[in-house]
Amino acid sequence: MAGSSYGNIFKVTTWGESHGKGLGVVVDGVPAGLELCEEDIQIFLNRRKPGQSKFTTPRKEDDAVEILSGVFEGKTTGTPVSMVVWNKNQKSKDYSEIASYYRPGHADFCFDEKYGFRDYRGGGRSSGRETIGRVAAGAIAVKMLSGLGIKFLTYTRSIGPVTINEVNFDAHEIYNNSLYMPDADAALKASEYLEECLKSLNSSGGVCECVITGLPVGLGDPVFEKIDANLAKAIMSIGAVKGFEIGDGFDAAKATGLTNNDAFIMRDGAVSKETNHSGGTLGGMTDGSPLIFRAAIKPTPSIAATQHTVNKSGEDIEISIKGRHDPIIVPRAVVVVEAMAAITIADALLINMGARMDRITDFYNTCLGSKSSPATKARITTIFPDRCFLSISLEQSVMFFLMNSKYILEYISNEQRIKQKILRIRHPKSHKRQWQHNKKDA
């Protein structure tokens, strides 16, 4: 089975099945020197684990993560970070009956047709538990990005017919209710609606919204690597997601050029936008505005109500699905959406570091060129004694510095001029302003 990996430099590969021994992920491309422990990951996994409310599956799993590699003495080593969560509460007998028929809304039929075989215990690789690996990897990405001032706010925008009221929006309310809605009134109404769904042996869908702030201008590329296209792929790869829109999304089709365009203005001495109909991207690249997108999530297909289907013998039958299932996926999907967005942004950020020749030149001139003091060169040689920078290609050199920029920042902490150059390459505008602010304070 191909297709279990995502990303270019920050590359994520998930593995495992819902009722296997465990599930996990290997994250390649994590820069060395990032402070990381299991608690950093567990905080995110706790947001998606089952059994937290009456609106999630009663399956009880601790979802306790173990870091197997890539971390030493509390910091990433630059080698692949491997993590695992062991399954402890599988009840495979609940699924023995479905081996003979195809569940409506599930991947059973397609698996059988494509592979001639399927793991019917909870869906195997198509189970929602596959997202454990995504969330663990996303936790690393979020921590890496938060150090650069990039923040994520992800929440439930709607459940069934109940949508949050923007007037009542309160970010602190998101974690005060089990539905992760930033509107207490909407959360109450949505809970009442879900109660009705449970009584009728039914389920509901909804919409997650994610707002990313602190992004530099220029992440993404204009053709096949557009940041919005890559986000769409990342989010649509989540099993239950059936729709994706960024900015005004489908409402842009109803607008005119005059009402849809975001006028540019000067704000605090920098180019900004008066509105944000585009959702923070232009031409496939981030434009420095908050990046806003939404993911439409279908109702849980496993429901106890009677449904029509066919069995492997081609006979029409009626079924009522047994087992432990969420009446709604949306609340637990919120952190999965955030994780996939963070993975995409982290990858785009690392790729973007090699986008301009002048910044690569500045970096080399500062760290290795005539502008560097003998002491600085000596320290770099000491840190990286096995590297001969003059004998490898420009592309290899750039990739090497991308992967080891954290070490350079740590070991040359007293070289403020060098630190300025590195930060300017990584986050051109905001870091430059912060540097100027720091100089004034000094």
Side-chain angles (χ1 to χ4, degrees):
M1 179 188 294
S4 289
S5 298
Y6 176 78
N8 295 288
I9 298 177
F10 193 91
K11 193 164 193 172
V12 172
T13 302
T14 68
W15 55 267
E17 294 81 34
S18 175
H19 285 235
K21 289 186 176 181
L23 303 100
V25 64
V26 177
V27 189
D28 203 1
V30 181
L34 177 69
E35 292 186 357
L36 188 70
C37 65
E38 288 171 348
E39 181 58 28
D40 294 325
I41 312 299
Q42 196 63 53
I43 291 170
F44 282 76
L45 287 174
N46 287 346
R47 291 167 59 189
R48 75 149 302 282
K49 73 179 181 181
Q52 297 188 75
S53 79
K54 60 185 174 182
F55 300 129
T56 64
T57 170
R59 176 173 175 172
K60 295 292 185 181
E61 292 279 4
D62 291 335
D63 283 355
V65 68
E66 292 181 28
I67 297 178
L68 304 180
S69 68
V71 177
F72 179 65
E73 294 184 343
K75 293 186 178 181
T76 55
T77 62
T79 60
V81 178
S82 181
M83 296 173 282
V84 64
V85 168
W86 302 108
N87 288 324
K88 296 180 179 179
N89 191 229
Q90 311 98 304
K91 291 186 178 179
S92 299
K93 60 179 174 47
D94 288 347
Y95 296 87
S96 56
E97 178 184 309
I98 69 172
S100 62
Y101 63 76
Y102 302 123
R103 294 170 296 171
H106 282 276
D108 302 343
F109 172 71
C110 296
F111 260 75
D112 264 359
E113 288 295 301
K114 182 177 177 68
Y115 299 108
F117 178 80
R118 65 183 165 99
D119 183 350
Y120 58 82
R121 305 165 304 165
R125 282 294 283 165
S126 63
S127 166
R129 279 189 71 72
E130 180 272 337
T131 62
I132 282 175
R134 299 169 184 247
V135 172
I140 298 177
V142 168
K143 181 154 193 184
M144 180 176 132
L145 295 169
S146 65
L148 301 173
I150 298 172
K151 305 295 183 184
F152 295 79
L153 182 65
T154 316
Y155 48 86
T156 300
R157 182 173 179 82
S158 67
I159 287 178
V162 182
T163 301
I164 63 170
N165 187 333
E166 299 289 350
V167 176
N168 299 332
F169 191 100
D170 180 3
H172 298 292
E173 178 62 28
I174 294 171
Y175 299 102
N176 288 338
N177 63 80
S178 60
L179 301 179
Y180 294 101
M181 300 186 89
D183 176 353
D185 291 341
L188 180 61
K189 292 176 182 177
S191 295
E192 293 171 353
Y193 171 73
L194 290 174
E195 291 280 8
E196 293 301 316
C197 289
L198 285 171
K199 288 178 183 177
S200 60
L201 306 179
N202 213 342
S203 62
S204 175
V207 174
C208 292
E209 186 164 73
C210 180
V211 181
I212 312 173
T213 56
L215 292 170
V217 178
L219 296 188
D221 289 292
V223 186
F224 296 117
E225 295 294 327
K226 289 181 170 68
I227 192 67
D228 33 6
N230 286 339
L231 279 169
K233 178 179 179 179
I235 303 305
M236 289 292 291
S237 74
I238 301 168
V241 174
K242 302 303 290 184
F244 175 89
E245 65 175 5
I246 191 164
D248 284 359
F250 284 93
D251 282 344
K254 307 171 189 174
T256 65
L258 192 59
T259 58
N260 185 65
N261 288 345
D262 299 308
F264 287 105
I265 58 172
M266 294 301 296
R267 182 180 290 138
D268 299 327
V271 177
S272 185
K273 297 193 310 182
E274 197 169 23
T275 53
N276 193 21
H277 297 294
S278 69
T281 69
L282 288 170
M285 298 168 283
T286 54
D287 62 19
S289 304
L291 197 157
I292 305 170
F293 71 83
R294 287 165 293 282
I297 297 174
K298 71 178 184 178
T300 314
S302 293
I303 55 176
T306 301
Q307 300 180 82
H308 300 286
T309 188
V310 298
N311 60 24
K312 282 189 163 185
S313 301
E315 301 168 321
D316 292 316
I317 61 173
E318 289 189 342
I319 61 166
S320 176
I321 295 175
K322 299 179 178 63
R324 299 165 297 175
H325 309 286
D326 300 74
I328 184 165
I329 300 168
V330 180
R332 294 176 64 204
V334 166
V335 69
V336 184
V337 168
E338 182 173 310
M340 290 308 296
I343 291 166
T344 304
I345 296 298
D347 193 42
L349 191 72
L350 292 173
I351 292 172
N352 195 57
M353 289 174 68
R356 284 179 56 166
M357 191 65 211
D358 58 341
R359 289 174 185 161
I360 297 171
T361 302
D362 283 348
F363 185 93
Y364 270 75
N365 285 342
T366 301
C367 290
L368 299 173
S370 58
K371 297 179 183 178
S372 295
S373 67
T376 297
K377 291 180 183 179
R379 282 198 294 276
I380 293 175
T381 304
T382 301
I383 298 166
F384 311 116
D386 58 332
R387 301 289 177 174
C388 179
F389 298 107
L390 298 179
S391 64
I392 59 179
S393 70
L394 176 62
E395 181 181 3
Q396 290 172 317
S397 300
V398 171
M399 291 302 295
F400 170 75
F401 275 102
L402 291 180
M403 294 296 98
N404 293 284
S405 59
K406 183 77 176 181
Y407 280 133
I408 296 173
L409 283 172
E410 288 177 353
Y411 280 85
I412 316 176
S413 59
N414 64 327
E415 295 283 347
Q416 293 300 315
R417 177 170 50 84
I418 294 174
K419 185 180 286 188
Q420 178 193 9
K421 291 286 187 179
I422 295 170
L423 291 175
R424 184 164 67 81
I425 292 169
R426 296 179 71 179
H427 203 161
K429 288 191 175 179
S430 63
H431 280 292
K432 184 176 180 182
R433 289 196 293 270
Q434 184 63 46
W435 170 258
Q436 291 170 342
H437 178 71
N438 291 343
K439 278 188 73 177
K440 290 177 184 177
D441 289 345

